[in-house]
Amino acid sequence: QVQLVESGGDLVQPGGSLRLSCVASGFSIINYRMGWYRQAPGKEREVVASIFSLPVIDVSRSYSDSVKGRFTISRDSSKNVVYLEMNSLKPEDTAVYYCNAGTNARLPQFSWGQGTQVTVSS
């Protein structure tokens, strides 16, 4: 049975940092492009970062323009966990963050987990 469990969200001041974790079970993350998504109130869910293994290149990472240079996605294949390191947080980063396989928020590979709330506010 596939399960995705996100954690690490918190209330943080602008400019602060957080590290989110996504523990996956029921499948191996190394076989999929894994993505971190977020959904702010009143907005659609969007992908902000993804990571995938490619022959020769080894690991491919991609980021949305809104988080590029501030967020870093990584994974620990031995633990089947995907991480999102978030630095220089802004109020507009406030959202519920989710992980899933793939990068299409409207066609997720698996059922969504409960997500983890990130609130950036002074």
Side-chain angles (χ1 to χ4, degrees):
Q1 181 181 356
V2 171
Q3 193 172 16
L4 296 162
V5 179
E6 302 90 350
S7 63
D10 205 346
L11 170 63
V12 62
Q13 292 187 344
S17 299
L18 282 175
R19 188 195 196 201
L20 306 183
S21 300
C22 169
V23 179
S25 57
F27 72 101
S28 177
I29 61 171
I30 200 168
N31 293 326
Y32 293 86
R33 177 177 286 277
M34 293 300 298
W36 275 100
Y37 302 75
R38 68 184 181 188
Q39 187 167 20
K43 295 188 177 181
E44 290 190 355
R45 195 170 304 188
E46 61 173 350
V47 62
V48 297
S50 68
I51 186 168
F52 187 56
S53 291
L54 292 172
V56 180
I57 297 176
D58 188 25
V59 176
S60 169
R61 294 177 175 86
S62 63
Y63 302 93
S64 66
D65 289 342
S66 61
V67 307
K68 195 173 296 182
R70 300 187 297 120
F71 290 11
T72 302
I73 187 171
S74 62
R75 68 186 182 190
D76 185 332
S77 300
S78 66
K79 297 180 180 178
N80 222 36
V81 178
V82 185
Y83 302 100
L84 186 67
E85 188 78 33
M86 305 188 296
N87 298 312
S88 302
L89 283 162
K90 305 175 180 179
E92 50 263 44
D93 294 319
T94 295
V96 179
Y97 284 72
Y98 305 85
C99 70
N100 211 314
T103 55
N104 188 332
R106 296 186 177 185
L107 294 172
Q109 182 72 42
F110 303 115
S111 296
W112 295 104
Q114 84 289 347
T116 186
Q117 176 71 48
V118 172
T119 302
V120 184
S121 175
S122 55

